[in-house]
Amino acid sequence: MANIIWLALVLVALSIHVQAKDVFAHFILANAENFTQTHWTRDIAAAKDAQIDAFALNVGYGAANTDQLLTDALNVAAAHDFKLFLSLDYSGDGHWPPDQVLKVLQSYANHTAYYRVDNTHPLVSTFEGYEALADWTTIKKKLPQIYLMPEWSVRTPAELASEDVVDGLLSWTAWPYGTDTMNTSSDEAYISALKAKNKPYIMPVSPWFYTDMVRYHKNWVWQGDGLWHTRWKQVLDLQPQFVEILTWNDFGESHYIGPLHENELGIFSFGQAPFNYAAGMVHDAWRMFLPYVLGEYKNGSGKGVIDKEGVVVWYRVTPAWACQAGLTTGNSVTQGQQTMPPGQVLKDEVFFQALLESTAEVKVSIGGGANESVGWMDTPSGGSGGGGRGLYFGSVPMDNRTGEVVVTLSRDGKFVAQMTGEEITTKCPDKLTNWNAWVGTAMSNVSNASTSRASLSEESAATTVVGGRGMELWMGVLWTIVVVGMSGVFL
């Protein structure tokens, strides 16, 4: 009997301390300075549709309308069963004084819509701010429930994981160096160091990076191209405790996946950009396959739902040879990197990703030319010969062609989906290359989608048993163990 009770207690402890996997999107609050509750409702609905669990609200110190924005955001989130948490930005014009950190956390961390680790501890992140390490010791003495997962790139993961005040870590290493292929060496260093201290990791995922802001002395590109596809495969391989998408709405760095709205683009005039390189460059389609990918991440391989088959396509509408690069570099001196021409870092290619129940043929036409049959570079079963269910990826060189881009999927001679995208052009905004990407999609219904959805729901109910979300099932199992054990005592 003692062994049975001991086992039950161990299982209770495990169920309490193991956190369900969740996915966040980094949200720049400064870009939402004109938001009303209507705007919050729109963006939160879009995030929920993509199966994102929370916004990490990047908040700089001293903004005039921060309180109103946070109040509106949290109230709307509560009404729509969505979560938010603070990511305090120490990199901007003002350092966060510890008394102001306390004030903002005391004001908002108890809100019902505030995200909590293990449904108990309010999560707080940072962007940089290692110099405030000592502040957090004081802050956590007054607010011991706070769960601190900062991004402090100036120290190694092992050094940071050893700090008692740190409960976990966020990395910002989401882009490869120059022309290198993105790898997971940085992620593995974080995971290893944190695992030794029994602390979780937030793995970063980003689709792109291009910035040209004179005010901030920023003008470089990092490799995007096939990064969105590659990085999610790495997430599925490493299975980190958390994932953070960089970002929802950082239009000035071109890695947004949220809706593009005119009232959010003031950063281009404020940052003294030479032109608005986000205007017309929609990225919404990068969210299209997130429900499937996040289903695979949270529930296990083969558990992602495919409601629709289709294709997501992205490319730059001004090729590298057509316009001047200006002072834009590939890589950044400010990051201690050796620079190179941006046209070496970003390829003049059309990239496409398909979500399919089984293999399909893909053809690409640029500028009204003949449809070119293109082989897949990556398939669900790996290699060009795979034909399984899941995500496919490929690309085709522009080869100096301009004009409208059409990508067509077909299977066994039958049409599946066709995406007609923006024209590739030699028109140069302000005589410069726009290194941002345009993203489009075309989808078609899957005949057995409702069956797939129902079976996934049933399986999830039986297998998702970690953290607060599976507590009821765990308690039922434990109660059965205890009752059986107790009944044995009276036999």
Side-chain angles (χ1 to χ4, degrees):
M1 178 60 191
N3 288 337
I4 292 175
I5 293 176
W6 175 85
L7 175 61
L9 292 173
V10 169
L11 291 175
V12 169
L14 285 173
S15 68
I16 291 174
H17 293 293
V18 176
Q19 169 74 25
K21 295 174 184 173
D22 280 329
V23 176
F24 316 131
H26 200 79
F27 188 106
I28 307 299
L29 196 67
N31 285 344
E33 62 179 352
N34 298 315
F35 264 34
T36 64
Q37 290 196 11
T38 299
H39 296 114
W40 284 114
T41 300
R42 172 203 64 200
D43 276 32
I44 285 172
K48 287 196 66 176
D49 285 346
Q51 305 299 309
I52 292 168
D53 299 288
F55 283 152
L57 297 177
N58 178 290
V59 184
Y61 173 62
N65 60 340
T66 296
D67 288 340
Q68 185 62 57
L69 289 173
L70 291 178
T71 298
D72 285 347
L74 285 161
N75 288 341
V76 172
H80 293 84
D81 191 26
F82 191 68
K83 301 299 181 184
L84 311 169
F85 65 91
L86 294 175
S87 179
L88 302 177
D89 194 328
Y90 284 77
S91 70
D93 296 332
H95 175 86
W96 274 93
D99 64 315
Q100 295 303 305
V101 175
L102 276 168
K103 180 181 178 181
V104 73
L105 291 176
Q106 288 168 339
S107 297
Y108 299 106
N110 288 324
H111 198 285
T112 56
Y114 198 96
Y115 181 88
R116 290 170 174 79
V117 177
D118 291 329
N119 298 316
T120 303
H121 304 284
L123 176 60
V124 181
S125 184
T126 75
F127 180 70
E128 300 300 347
Y130 176 76
E131 67 278 7
L133 173 63
D135 293 352
W136 286 100
T137 300
T138 302
I139 293 165
K140 292 190 73 174
K141 283 181 180 178
K142 296 183 179 181
L143 297 174
Q145 288 290 92
I146 291 298
Y147 203 92
L148 177 63
M149 297 187 70
E151 185 280 324
W152 288 338
S153 62
V154 296
R155 292 290 184 271
T156 68
E159 290 172 320
L160 296 173
S162 297
E163 296 286 355
D164 291 338
V165 75
V166 169
D167 297 299
L169 292 171
L170 162 67
S171 167
W172 213 257
T173 306
W175 304 272
Y177 180 93
T179 59
D180 294 348
T181 301
M182 186 67 189
N183 62 54
T184 59
S185 59
S186 175
D187 304 298
E188 291 175 51
Y190 274 95
I191 290 171
S192 177
L194 290 163
K195 185 177 180 181
K197 301 294 182 179
N198 195 29
K199 298 178 179 181
Y201 174 53
I202 304 177
M203 182 172 172
V205 175
S206 188
W208 207 261
F209 194 108
Y210 162 51
T211 184
D212 188 353
M213 294 281 169
V214 175
R215 184 187 186 99
Y216 301 112
H217 310 289
K218 295 163 52 175
N219 189 0
W220 72 88
V221 301
W222 280 327
Q223 188 189 135
D225 290 355
L227 183 62
W228 189 239
H229 178 79
T230 299
R231 194 64 173 152
W232 282 114
K233 287 189 65 178
Q234 293 171 350
V235 167
L236 297 180
D237 182 49
L238 292 182
Q239 292 291 310
Q241 193 65 66
F242 302 106
V243 175
E244 187 157 327
I245 298 170
L246 311 180
T247 61
W248 183 260
N249 67 334
D250 195 339
F251 307 108
E253 293 187 351
S254 306
H255 44 60
Y256 51 94
I257 66 164
L260 190 64
H261 302 285
E262 288 299 323
N263 69 332
E264 299 175 81
L265 302 181
I267 185 62
F268 291 97
S269 57
F270 184 79
Q272 300 172 12
F275 65 99
N276 185 337
Y277 43 84
M281 308 299 279
V282 291
H283 288 183
D284 297 73
W286 268 328
R287 302 195 307 271
M288 186 61 64
F289 297 156
L290 282 182
Y292 170 80
V293 175
L294 300 191
E296 295 281 294
Y297 163 63
K298 295 178 181 182
N299 303 317
S301 179
K303 301 295 180 64
V305 176
I306 301 179
D307 283 337
K308 295 182 178 181
E309 294 188 302
V311 63
V312 172
V313 183
W314 62 94
Y315 52 91
R316 292 179 291 104
V317 298
T318 49
W321 56 265
C323 311
Q324 298 177 27
L327 299 177
T328 302
T329 60
N331 290 345
S332 170
V333 173
T334 62
Q335 304 295 314
Q337 298 174 333
Q338 182 178 353
T339 62
M340 61 184 68
Q344 290 184 17
V345 174
L346 296 177
K347 298 176 182 178
D348 286 343
E349 295 188 8
V350 173
F351 302 90
F352 43 88
Q353 186 184 52
L355 182 61
L356 301 169
E357 287 283 3
S358 62
T359 192
E361 182 182 15
V362 59
K363 292 184 177 181
V364 180
S365 169
I366 301 175
N371 278 337
E372 175 185 354
S373 185
V374 183
W376 296 108
M377 297 168 61
D378 186 52
T379 67
S381 54
S384 60
R389 176 180 183 273
L391 287 173
Y392 292 68
F393 175 75
S395 70
V396 61
M398 295 179 187
D399 285 338
N400 298 327
R401 291 173 290 179
T402 59
E404 189 176 69
V405 175
V406 180
V407 179
T408 306
L409 294 176
S410 61
R411 180 187 296 117
D412 299 328
K414 296 180 180 179
F415 175 84
V416 176
Q418 183 177 77
M419 193 285 317
T420 301
E422 289 291 304
E423 291 187 2
I424 299 171
T425 176
T426 58
K427 297 178 182 178
C428 308
D430 202 46
K431 300 182 179 180
L432 296 171
T433 302
N434 187 348
W435 300 102
N436 194 4
W438 180 88
V439 190
T441 186
M443 305 295 292
S444 62
N445 289 325
V446 174
S447 59
N448 64 346
S450 58
T451 303
S452 298
R453 189 186 305 111
S455 64
L456 174 68
S457 177
E458 293 166 1
E459 291 175 354
S460 296
T463 59
T464 305
V465 293
V466 293
R469 293 175 181 167
M471 181 61 78
E472 296 86 355
L473 183 55
W474 267 116
M475 294 308 296
V477 173
L478 294 172
W479 181 246
T480 301
I481 293 172
V482 172
V483 169
V484 171
M486 290 296 291
S487 63
V489 172
F490 297 105
L491 289 177

